[in-house]
Amino acid sequence: MKSHRFFRMSVINAIAEVQSFRAINSDVNMKECCRLLRVRPGAASTFDYEAVEDLHAIPALFEHCSSSREQGLRGILKILIIHFRPTWGLLMPHGRRVLRQSVPPDIKQCFESAGFFKDSPDPESIIWWDGLSSYFRSNAVLGRVEMGRRGEMLSMNHERDRLVAAGHTQTEPLWSAIEDETLGYDITSWDLTGPTPKIMYIEVKASERTPFVFFLTENEWKVAQMFKETYVFHFWYLPTQRLKIVTVDEVASHLPINQGSGVWKKTQIEWPIF
């Protein structure tokens, strides 16, 4: 179900009308409720009750009826946003202005009608905004963790296949990050280019975006420099499961520098490597 069709005032208003109607007529089912509201005289009959019928699987939408229109709209918006988790929700931690400038007009109108774009926001709207910002901030982190694990699994499979193809059937890569996230690398494998195998450290980065986007911590970079000759990066572009193997020197030119009293701890890099 595409979520964008529900973030329109015609739908939000229809939900509010259904809430009010069912607060008095709790025994009327959703379909009959929408039918009755369509034939009632007045502007409310033109709201998008068809979309509301498609939302029947979200009962929380129809369990509350606020005496304040703004509070009611905010409650509806919050339930819809948490249920559908629209991608534009990731903009909320960056502030009201960023969201307002970035979303389509229909979505902007929903937020304006709920009183979120006032010059002087009320305390309740700030609490509402902060709550959803924290929600999307935590989900963004979880999403990056999940992508990282997918990349690590791909690298484990890649290394197993590589070692078997080279005749090292008794040698297994080690998924080091599962045991200790602080090591500064994710996988321990073997470099077979020389006369004797050498231990190799692999830091895995995965992304679904182009340019390729990844984060690098100060600890990962310190370890990369420590094991420079036997340390590589695996960059996975997840939509096509395409791999780029990159050296420490190749990454170095994209990093910020420490200067004065400034010391970087974590950096984001956008690299058109694919």
Side-chain angles (χ1 to χ4, degrees), residues 126-223:
I126 294 172
I127 293 170
W128 186 99
W129 195 283
D130 287 345
L132 280 173
S133 294
S134 296
Y135 172 82
F136 276 102
R137 196 177 288 115
S138 63
N139 275 277
V141 170
L142 288 173
R144 288 199 296 270
V145 170
E146 190 270 338
M147 280 197 296
R149 290 301 191 208
R150 284 165 60 193
E152 289 168 15
M153 284 189 281
L154 288 170
S155 285
M156 284 293 291
N157 291 334
H158 175 273
E159 287 302 298
R160 286 192 189 101
D161 292 344
R162 183 180 66 84
L163 293 171
V164 168
H168 288 251
T169 55
Q170 303 303 312
T171 307
E172 275 279 312
L174 178 65
W175 197 340
S176 308
I178 292 293
E179 304 299 332
D180 188 346
E181 285 277 3
T182 69
L183 293 172
Y185 53 87
D186 297 311
I187 292 170
T188 308
S189 190
W190 296 95
D191 180 358
L192 306 176
T193 56
T196 57
K198 293 186 298 183
I199 197 167
M200 178 172 66
Y201 304 97
I202 302 171
E203 175 61 28
V204 182
K205 302 295 181 185
S207 179
E208 295 178 335
R209 293 171 53 186
T210 54
F212 190 82
V213 177
F214 66 98
F215 291 87
L216 189 69
T217 67
E218 178 195 31
N219 181 57
E220 289 166 350
W221 186 239
K222 282 182 177 178
V223 175

Side-chain angles (χ1 to χ4, degrees), residues 1-271:
M1 188 185 297
K2 293 181 178 179
S3 67
H4 61 267
R5 63 180 287 235
F6 301 115
F7 290 96
R8 294 181 293 112
M9 279 312 301
S10 181
V11 179
I12 304 293
N13 283 328
I15 294 170
E17 290 293 321
V18 171
Q19 286 180 343
S20 298
F21 186 90
R22 297 195 77 192
I24 303 170
N25 306 279
S26 58
D27 57 330
V28 179
N29 65 42
M30 180 66 66
K31 193 173 185 66
E32 179 65 8
C33 174
C34 290
R35 187 191 71 78
L36 291 171
L37 289 170
R38 283 192 190 97
V39 298
R40 272 203 319 191
S45 64
T46 64
F47 296 152
D48 191 350
Y49 295 103
E50 182 179 348
V52 172
E53 289 184 41
D54 291 338
L55 294 168
H56 69 277
I58 315 176
L61 268 177
F62 311 103
E63 291 172 358
H64 305 285
C65 180
S66 175
S67 57
S68 160
R69 173 170 166 77
E70 270 192 359
Q71 288 180 350
L73 296 182
R74 290 172 184 180
I76 292 168
L77 266 178
K78 183 175 182 178
I79 293 169
L80 288 174
I81 290 169
I82 290 176
H83 180 82
F84 288 109
R85 291 197 295 182
T87 53
W88 49 260
L90 294 168
L91 297 172
M92 294 190 71
H94 298 287
R96 296 188 307 161
R97 184 176 63 182
V98 171
L99 184 79
R100 187 176 189 175
Q101 292 174 343
S102 304
V103 296
D106 282 340
I107 297 169
K108 187 168 99 171
Q109 185 183 13
C110 292
F111 278 82
E112 285 177 337
S113 297
F116 288 117
F117 293 149
K118 296 176 181 176
D119 290 339
S120 299
D122 56 274
E124 290 79 10
S125 72
I126 294 172
I127 293 170
W128 186 99
W129 195 283
D130 287 345
L132 280 173
S133 294
S134 296
Y135 172 82
F136 276 102
R137 196 177 288 115
S138 63
N139 275 277
V141 170
L142 288 173
R144 288 199 296 270
V145 170
E146 190 270 338
M147 280 197 296
R149 290 301 191 208
R150 284 165 60 193
E152 289 168 15
M153 284 189 281
L154 288 170
S155 285
M156 284 293 291
N157 291 334
H158 175 273
E159 287 302 298
R160 286 192 189 101
D161 292 344
R162 183 180 66 84
L163 293 171
V164 168
H168 288 251
T169 55
Q170 303 303 312
T171 307
E172 275 279 312
L174 178 65
W175 197 340
S176 308
I178 292 293
E179 304 299 332
D180 188 346
E181 285 277 3
T182 69
L183 293 172
Y185 53 87
D186 297 311
I187 292 170
T188 308
S189 190
W190 296 95
D191 180 358
L192 306 176
T193 56
T196 57
K198 293 186 298 183
I199 197 167
M200 178 172 66
Y201 304 97
I202 302 171
E203 175 61 28
V204 182
K205 302 295 181 185
S207 179
E208 295 178 335
R209 293 171 53 186
T210 54
F212 190 82
V213 177
F214 66 98
F215 291 87
L216 189 69
T217 67
E218 178 195 31
N219 181 57
E220 289 166 350
W221 186 239
K222 282 182 177 178
V223 175
Q225 291 176 303
M226 187 186 309
F227 298 119
K228 184 175 179 179
E229 301 305 319
T230 55
Y231 189 109
V232 296
F233 292 87
H234 278 192
F235 290 168
W236 286 99
Y237 179 57
L238 293 176
T240 59
Q241 296 191 2
R242 188 177 174 191
L243 170 67
K244 288 279 190 180
I245 300 177
V246 178
T247 66
V248 174
D249 283 340
E250 288 175 300
V251 172
S253 61
H254 297 275
L255 295 181
I257 60 171
N258 297 332
Q259 56 182 343
S261 300
V263 179
W264 72 270
K265 296 296 183 181
K266 184 177 183 179
T267 187
Q268 176 180 317
I269 299 171
E270 295 190 12
W271 192 352

